[in-house]
Amino acid sequence: MAEMFDHVPQVWTAGQLRNALTAVPDETPIHVGVADGPGDFVGGYEEFVLVNAEPVELADGSKTVPPQVRFTLFADAAAGAYYLDVE
């Protein structure tokens, strides 16, 4: 049986992101590395590029609880030639 663990990443705030980008020129593309597993960047990561950012409303279907809004960065595959994934 696989060992269980709690993965609690430090989620950045908008202020932390702004601070990290202060010295980055405006025309610099933003790349996003997605861990192979929870917290596992050592084993490698998939590379994506930032293509959009906007608030996303997450509703659970309840009429009594207001929807939660999360500011979300959207990533897509980096530019390149890819095989068409046909299923």
Side-chain angles (χ1 to χ4, degrees):
M1 179 176 249
E3 187 175 332
M4 297 291 293
F5 68 97
D6 287 329
H7 176 63
V8 185
Q10 175 61 49
V11 179
W12 275 27
T13 64
Q16 287 172 296
L17 181 58
R18 277 189 210 97
N19 188 49
L21 294 174
T22 55
V24 178
D26 288 346
E27 65 278 358
T28 303
I30 303 297
H31 291 254
V32 180
V34 179
D36 282 343
D40 182 12
F41 290 98
V42 176
Y45 61 87
E46 294 184 46
E47 184 179 340
F48 294 92
V49 292
L50 184 64
V51 295
N52 196 4
E54 61 185 63
V56 173
E57 191 173 279
L58 305 171
D60 66 359
S62 169
K63 295 193 186 300
T64 58
V65 179
Q68 181 182 9
V69 177
R70 289 188 189 164
F71 190 78
T72 304
L73 302 177
F74 292 94
D76 197 353
Y82 296 92
Y83 290 104
L84 181 61
D85 186 13
V86 179
E87 292 188 35

